[in-house]
Amino acid sequence: MDHRTAGRYWNSNADAWTRLAREGYDVFRDYLNTPAFMNMLPNVEGLAGLDIGCGEGHNTRLIARQGARITGVDIAENFIRHATATEHDEPLGIDYCVASGVELPFKNETYDFATGFMSFMDVPETGRLLSESFRILKPGGFLQFSITHPCFDPAYRMNLRDANGKKYAIAVGDYFRDLNGEISEWLFGAAPAHAREGLPYFRTPRFTHTLSYWLNLLITTGFNIERVEEPRPGDDAVRECPQLQGAQVVSYFLHLRVRKG
Ligand SMILES: C[S@@+](CC[C@H](N)C(=O)[O-])C[C@H]1O[C@@H](n2cnc3c(N)ncnc32)[C@H](O)[C@@H]1O
């Protein structure tokens, strides 16, 4: 599967995804990934940034509020439509455009930084995505992105639970198999039945790679690895949002910051 076919799946998911995320059901984003990502982000005030795979723009808006001049791109025009409508209602100076991360419509060395919140693992042409990210960065610029953890979200995964239903281990397998676009059907687990009613399941193409694949690709693209985080929810966050509990058992996500030397 190539990025255009994958993008069509994302475009079909966009309306339901935007609705549920804006109703607060993307709990891994809101309670774990985005706070950890923003905590790791260097000061971006006054810098020009590009958010690749921006979706409906939630995280792009957070970066804009930190004082960056930010552009958001997404391959799915329906996501960009929602992001643009919000920008129209509550302007933050964000530019949005429909574009694929593997064919960025920007000149070399345009941006001080680029971000990818939970989008880079959804792009099949990982090498082209990273080289495009490298190309549009100014020398010394950084790329920060988050992905599902390659070691703990491979082709096969099963939760092991105790008698109380609490997760205590994750069985993983098929680590070396690239799923190459296998379709996964799901909705945000935190969304109750009334919120899901009438909504189609998301159909997301999955692409899996080993940890060494990601790290070696970053290095051969020319990036220097600067910071690595594996966010873990605290007990308070799990009390507030019990769906996060499994993310205390193993790391569900991997956050990386790399720099164009
Ligand atoms: C899991 S969603 C994350 C959205 C958003 N960054 C967030 O954190 O809420 C993945 C996003 O990547 C986008 N995407 C997938 N393939 C892409 C590509 N080739 N170029 C740009 N965006 C892409 C999807 O349309 C979707 O918006």
Side-chain angles (χ1 to χ4, degrees):
M1 185 185 289
D2 73 358
H3 64 121
R4 289 197 187 86
T5 307
R8 282 194 281 278
Y9 282 97
W10 280 103
N11 201 41
S12 302
N13 297 330
D15 289 346
W17 187 289
T18 301
R19 183 166 131 194
L20 292 175
R22 289 183 178 182
E23 286 173 1
Y25 300 121
D26 190 351
V27 293
F28 283 97
R29 180 191 75 181
D30 294 343
Y31 286 88
L32 183 60
N33 268 323
T34 294
F37 194 104
M38 297 306 286
N39 197 36
M40 175 173 154
L41 194 71
N43 182 3
V44 291
E45 194 174 351
L47 300 185
L50 180 67
D51 187 23
I52 302 170
C54 63
E56 53 86 24
H58 173 88
N59 295 317
T60 327
R61 291 189 286 279
L62 293 180
I63 295 178
R65 288 197 179 96
Q66 302 235 331
R69 285 171 283 119
I70 185 101
T71 299
V73 295
D74 201 286
I75 198 166
E77 59 188 48
N78 286 335
F79 270 128
I80 291 296
R81 179 170 46 77
H82 289 295
T84 305
T86 303
E87 174 63 19
H88 184 262
D89 293 345
E90 300 158 33
L92 289 167
I94 304 171
D95 288 322
Y96 288 107
C97 74
V98 177
S100 173
V102 307
E103 298 167 340
L104 290 171
F106 307 108
K107 294 195 177 118
N108 295 353
E109 303 184 0
T110 301
Y111 292 99
D112 299 303
F113 73 97
T115 50
F117 291 81
M118 298 302 290
S119 53
F120 276 32
M121 74 282 180
D122 295 321
V123 180
E125 299 87 348
T126 323
R128 281 172 61 194
L129 172 67
L130 294 182
S131 60
E132 277 294 89
S133 305
F134 189 88
R135 182 184 67 73
I136 56 90
L137 282 175
K138 295 175 188 170
F142 72 85
L143 164 69
Q144 184 171 309
F145 67 97
S146 51
I147 53 175
T148 47
H149 202 301
C151 301
F152 300 113
D153 192 25
Y156 177 82
R157 173 163 109 165
M158 191 177 72
N159 294 313
L160 305 182
R161 295 172 188 270
D162 66 16
N164 299 317
K166 191 173 169 186
K167 291 176 192 165
Y168 65 90
I170 313 278
V172 293
D174 272 350
Y175 175 61
F176 296 101
R177 182 157 74 89
D178 179 352
L179 285 177
N180 196 23
E182 194 173 294
I183 302 299
S184 186
E185 296 201 350
W186 58 290
L187 281 174
F188 293 126
H194 69 83
R196 295 161 171 240
E197 207 175 300
L199 293 182
Y201 278 105
F202 305 144
R203 301 188 72 219
T204 54
R206 289 190 67 204
F207 305 94
T208 48
H209 304 292
T210 60
L211 180 61
S212 55
Y213 172 90
W214 278 103
L215 298 182
N216 288 328
L217 202 52
L218 286 164
I219 293 163
T220 54
T221 304
F223 282 116
N224 297 323
I225 297 172
E226 189 170 277
R227 184 90 200 154
V228 183
E229 294 288 348
E230 295 173 298
R232 173 184 186 280
D235 292 342
D236 288 348
V238 172
R239 259 191 298 279
E240 205 177 327
C241 182
Q243 288 92 353
L244 301 184
Q245 183 261 321
Q248 288 190 317
V249 177
V250 297
S251 180
Y252 281 9
F253 306 103
L254 180 67
H255 293 198
L256 290 150
R257 187 171 73 241
V258 298
R259 202 169 281 275
K260 182 169 179 171

